[in-house]
Amino acid sequence: MSNNPASAAHPGKTLTSSGFYVSQDTEIICENPTPTPTSTPPDVLRCAYMELVVTDLAASREFYVDVLGLYVTEEDDQAIYLRSTEEFIHHNLVLRKGEVAAVAAFSYRVRSAEDLDRAVAFYTELGCDVRRAPSGFTKGIGDSVRVVDPLGFPYEFFHATDHVERLSWRYDLHKPGELVRLDHFNQVTPDVPRAVKYMQDLGFRVTEDIQDEEGTVYAAWMRRKPTVHDTAMTGGDGPRMHHVCFATHEKHNILAICDKLGALRRSDAIERGPGRHGVSNAFYLYLRDPDGHRVEVYTQDYYTGDPDNPVITWDVHDNQRRDWWGNPVVPSWYTDASLVLDLDGNPQPVRARTDSSEMAVTIGADGFSYTRPDDEAEMPEWKQGEYKLGHQL
Ligand SMILES: [Fe+2]
């Protein structure tokens, strides 16, 4: 058995004993780059909140508050403002009532008020639709800039926000599946290298990606705060929102959410997991809300804040990249995602991915061989599918 599954596949990168590659080189070849603005980008602190349009506010409240336990900062008959246990800004999630389930904003907090001027200049130079609301677009958030970015996503930047109580010490309120922080967004876009180049111009750093031996990039994870990511770009028809993710403290919190959903006879809300990711090393669970918006619950990724933090590249044929235990990725996880809106509230048109799709190259096309390349001929027939349990689709 070889410990060296594809040593020649990714030149310039070092194969680790864990089976992925590391490098300091985050340069990705992009055939259709967005122009690099001359303006300094805004200094982004972190992903801060998502504004989700939901079609049934009561059903969404039941899911996010009663089942998942997010805290209500404010609510009225049009919108609910929710936060996680450790949050001190007004909200991490806005549920807004609307006709079409979609994402109205991926919102980032910036370091200072001046960074909003920088955001205006940066996106104006890119020719984007740029709007500024000095009193904010949502309750609890001050001066804000919203743009439709070069990839078609509604991005927001803000600094001023109402402070609310951090509930970390309120153990009397905590539940077994406590969601403690907003961790990241995940976006679906047809051209991942183009997305990475634009996000690098915006000041984000790549921490991990998935490539094949030809250099096709299937997904990339990028960060401002010193974790694996604030957002990830997943290759597919887009622009669409793949998921929004909240962190728990421990793995057992995620198991408790599964137990609760089972007890409520709501196990159909579980789409994928629980499991251990290869990418990010985090323990994970994917849920679908009443409108089909995907929510991840996640814990225990790693610190990435040093300037020479190694960039990890996973081979797309490594069947442990998406699940470290080799469990299959359900097809809906690759194909389903939420629409995103322009700044007038209209759904953005979805463009098809032209590069190979990760699902196409890894489900049904893979052998189990990548993990142990010399073993395939010895495997019983029933095991010679793409995953350890054989052909499941
Ligand atoms: Fe995620």
Side-chain angles (χ1 to χ4, degrees):
M1 183 169 76
S2 170
N3 290 322
N4 197 4
S7 52
H10 298 273
K13 299 182 184 344
T14 304
L15 180 62
T16 68
S17 66
S18 303
F20 53 73
Y21 298 79
V22 292
S23 65
Q24 288 292 320
D25 181 10
T26 60
E27 192 181 343
I28 286 177
I29 297 157
C30 177
E31 288 166 1
N32 180 28
T34 56
T36 300
T38 57
S39 311
T40 304
D43 185 351
V44 175
L45 293 172
R46 58 164 167 146
C47 61
Y49 80 89
M50 180 174 280
E51 182 177 339
L52 271 183
V53 178
V54 300
T55 58
D56 181 338
L57 205 51
S60 294
R61 191 188 196 286
E62 198 260 342
F63 180 78
Y64 287 101
V65 178
D66 299 341
V67 177
L68 291 182
L70 288 172
Y71 295 92
V72 178
T73 302
E74 269 190 79
E75 63 185 318
D76 57 35
D77 61 356
Q78 293 300 310
I80 308 174
Y81 303 82
L82 300 171
R83 72 183 192 275
S84 54
T85 316
E86 296 186 354
E87 191 53 81
F88 71 94
I89 68 170
H90 187 265
H91 54 254
N92 299 129
L93 185 67
V94 179
L95 305 174
R96 190 176 303 287
K97 192 175 167 187
E99 295 294 309
V100 179
V103 175
F106 300 76
S107 185
Y108 293 89
R109 193 160 191 227
V110 296
R111 186 168 300 279
S112 70
E114 292 71 42
D115 286 303
L116 298 178
D117 301 332
R118 295 189 184 101
V120 169
F122 183 87
Y123 284 100
T124 300
E125 219 179 303
L126 284 168
C128 298
D129 187 0
V130 178
R131 302 191 197 172
R132 187 164 184 169
S135 55
F137 292 94
T138 68
K139 278 187 181 170
I141 304 290
D143 190 8
S144 305
V145 173
R146 282 194 177 184
V147 305
V148 174
D149 78 5
L151 312 178
F153 290 97
Y155 260 30
E156 180 185 86
F157 304 90
F158 73 92
H159 174 71
T161 173
D162 294 351
H163 284 198
V164 291
E165 184 177 357
R166 179 175 260 161
L167 296 171
S168 304
W169 291 263
R170 287 297 310 274
Y171 291 103
D172 55 315
L173 302 177
H174 296 184
K175 293 154 290 289
E178 198 74 5
L179 303 181
V180 297
R181 287 185 295 277
L182 177 71
D183 195 88
H184 61 263
F185 308 135
N186 190 306
Q187 306 169 234
V188 187
T189 188
D191 185 340
V192 176
R194 177 178 161 86
V196 169
K197 194 270 179 188
Y198 148 64
M199 293 299 287
Q200 287 175 325
D201 287 346
L202 187 57
F204 284 65
R205 296 178 71 104
V206 174
T207 56
E208 302 200 24
D209 66 14
I210 296 175
Q211 299 191 24
D212 64 17
E213 59 281 6
E214 267 105 50
T216 304
V217 185
Y218 295 86
W221 285 256
M222 287 161 286
R223 65 102 184 163
R224 286 293 300 178
K225 65 179 162 56
T227 63
V228 170
H229 55 323
D230 288 281
T231 195
M233 295 289 174
T234 299
D237 302 348
R240 292 184 298 163
M241 187 277 284
H242 193 273
H243 61 265
V244 58
C245 176
F246 290 90
T248 62
H249 280 142
E250 302 282 350
K251 295 187 284 291
H252 66 76
N253 304 116
I254 290 178
L255 300 178
I257 293 169
C258 296
D259 285 338
K260 181 172 181 177
L261 286 164
L264 293 170
R265 290 277 156 185
R266 295 279 296 274
S267 58
D268 56 334
I270 299 174
E271 182 187 36
R272 182 183 157 205
R276 167 79 65 191
H277 281 311
V279 173
S280 81
N281 196 31
F283 199 83
Y284 72 87
L285 173 70
Y286 292 98
L287 307 173
R288 302 292 289 272
D289 85 357
D291 282 296
H293 296 308
R294 186 179 290 105
V295 179
E296 183 180 18
V297 187
Y298 170 107
T299 190
Q300 297 169 351
D301 62 347
Y302 58 92
Y303 168 76
T304 60
D306 283 18
D308 52 352
N309 178 67
V311 178
I312 291 176
T313 293
W314 295 82
D315 192 285
V316 73
H317 299 294
D318 181 346
N319 60 10
Q320 295 186 187
R321 73 198 183 288
R322 291 286 189 184
D323 184 283
W324 190 241
W325 307 336
N327 284 326
V329 178
V330 294
S332 63
W333 191 91
Y334 281 122
T335 57
D336 294 3
S338 298
L339 294 172
V340 302
L341 302 179
D342 67 16
L343 302 184
D344 294 317
N346 304 308
Q348 285 281 75
V350 173
R351 284 172 292 114
R353 177 174 169 88
T354 51
D355 285 345
S356 315
S357 90
E358 186 174 340
M359 184 169 78
V361 301
T362 57
I363 294 185
D366 259 355
F368 185 52
S369 56
Y370 183 75
T371 304
R372 291 197 302 268
D374 304 329
D375 281 5
E376 186 164 30
E378 331 260 297
M379 280 193 185
E381 191 279 330
W382 63 271
K383 255 188 162 182
Q384 289 180 9
E386 62 272 23
Y387 294 110
K388 63 184 181 183
L389 297 178
H391 302 276
Q392 294 199 342
L393 286 173

